[in-house]
Amino acid sequence: MAKFTSSAHLICPLDQQSLTLEERTLKCPSGHSFDIAKQGYVNLLPVQKKKSKDPGDSKEMIQARQRFLQAGLYQPISDRLNQLVSQQLTLSDNEPVTILDAGCGEGYYLSRLATENNLTEQEQIELLGVDISKWGVQAATRYQLPITWIVGTNAQLPVEPASVDLIICMFGFWQPEWFAKVLKPGGKVILAEPGVDHLIELREIIYKEVHRKDVPELKGIEEVGFTLIDQQQLEFRPATLNKEQVQDLLVMTPHLYRANYEGKQSAQQLEQLNLTAQVVFRILEFKA
Ligand SMILES: C[S@@+](CC[C@H](N)C(=O)[O-])C[C@H]1O[C@@H](n2cnc3c(N)ncnc32)[C@H](O)[C@@H]1O
């Protein structure tokens, strides 16, 4: 049985009351209970929010992303994130700080943030990773770090209102109302999204016509209390991808579903591929 890192901020997804850990079960005062899985995570996804039997990224997608990320191909993205977190987060002695990765996938970015920025050694820092995919969360527990891993949805985060200092959302599902609900006043969000030319070489191979779309406008953010305080772009060329890595990249991105048969065939025949990675980071502040 793997250890579960409990968070003081978890709430019941059914009635939003605080959860307390009793042995290997989280319980709310009304008697709803959620068992800790043997891998050391908890499932707090309300059934009514489960739009399919197996929501979120599939086991195959998670495994492909895990191999790709573990090969270090996106490490510059993780490095930039870690740098931004250091700049945005003020850590002072004994002040509790909570960081939430919303849509954490298999946990690469949060785990690397924890280890590279030495966050796990600081007792006042609480780290939470939430993803709707149980495969993602199960994979994340393999990092064996003191991080609370939760199967849950960004569209109803099972976290106490006004308890989070920083949300990171890496290629995930940005939910302004819910992020605003759980952030402390002055809290920040770091969003990372694909830039116009992200993976352009692959897109040119698999699509007849490449749509060059800028990052989506952040509509209506002021109404829920957010201000965009910074936007910056990171561009780099990952090491040459081998055949298996090209395949993994296709599986871990929406391109697998979007590309037609011929497009996928062309990508599958590639022995190697040189790529441009382009990521836009946007930082938002929540004023309440
Ligand atoms: C493109 S992946 C990014 C994963 C990870 N952040 C990364 O960059 O490696 C998007 C993730 O969002 C998750 N997801 C989809 N809908 C979600 C929701 N409503 N709430 C939380 N996670 C969700 C998927 O399961 C998937 O792991």
Side-chain angles (χ1 to χ4, degrees), residues 165 183-188 285-288:
D165 295 85
L183 279 172
K184 291 178 189 169
K188 308 261 174 72
E285 185 167 13
F286 176 61
K287 289 272 170 56

Side-chain angles (χ1 to χ4, degrees), residues 4 21 63 89 114 167 230 253:
F4 172 67
L21 185 64
Q63 286 174 341
L89 210 62
I167 297 180
D230 190 20
T253 59

Side-chain angles (χ1 to χ4, degrees), residues 45 49 51 55-58 61-62 65-66 69 74 77 101-109 130-134 136-137 150 152-157 168-173 175 192 252-254:
L45 185 63
K49 288 274 165 187
K51 296 199 180 106
D57 282 9
S58 64
M61 289 170 86
I62 294 291
R65 190 172 304 118
Q66 200 169 27
L69 293 172
Y74 275 1
I77 305 175
D101 185 349
C104 61
E106 55 69 66
Y108 172 75
Y109 293 102
V130 174
D131 200 282
I132 205 164
S133 161
K134 75 163 186 241
V137 172
I150 305 147
T153 173
N154 290 357
Q156 192 191 318
L157 287 165
I168 62 172
C169 187
M170 307 296 292
F171 312 100
F173 288 79
Q175 294 283 336
M252 69 187 240
T253 59

Side-chain angles (χ1 to χ4, degrees), residues 142-255:
R142 291 193 207 124
Y143 289 102
Q144 304 212 347
L145 288 167
I147 295 175
T148 312
W149 298 111
I150 305 147
V151 177
T153 173
N154 290 357
Q156 192 191 318
L157 287 165
V159 178
E160 256 175 29
S163 63
V164 176
D165 295 85
L166 174 71
I167 297 180
I168 62 172
C169 187
M170 307 296 292
F171 312 100
F173 288 79
W174 145 248
Q175 294 283 336
E177 291 81 9
W178 273 93
F179 287 12
K181 195 170 180 149
V182 302
L183 279 172
K184 291 178 189 169
K188 308 261 174 72
V189 178
I190 301 179
L191 292 179
E193 291 150 298
V196 200
D197 286 328
H198 189 53
L199 312 181
I200 189 69
E201 299 84 353
L202 177 70
R203 286 154 60 203
E204 280 169 350
I205 292 167
I206 61 178
Y207 299 117
K208 275 207 184 96
E209 212 179 314
V210 174
H211 298 286
R212 301 174 91 92
K213 274 196 289 181
D214 215 336
V215 284
E217 216 183 299
L218 296 171
K219 288 195 193 115
I221 55 164
E222 287 84 10
E223 278 113 75
V224 286
F226 284 111
T227 313
L228 180 66
I229 57 168
D230 190 20
Q231 172 158 344
Q232 49 184 269
Q233 186 169 288
L234 167 71
E235 187 173 314
F236 64 97
R237 293 185 72 77
T240 303
L241 272 62
N242 63 30
K243 197 176 176 63
E244 288 74 33
Q245 288 166 336
V246 174
Q247 200 44 41
D248 281 343
L249 182 61
L250 268 182
V251 174
M252 69 187 240
T253 59
H255 299 305

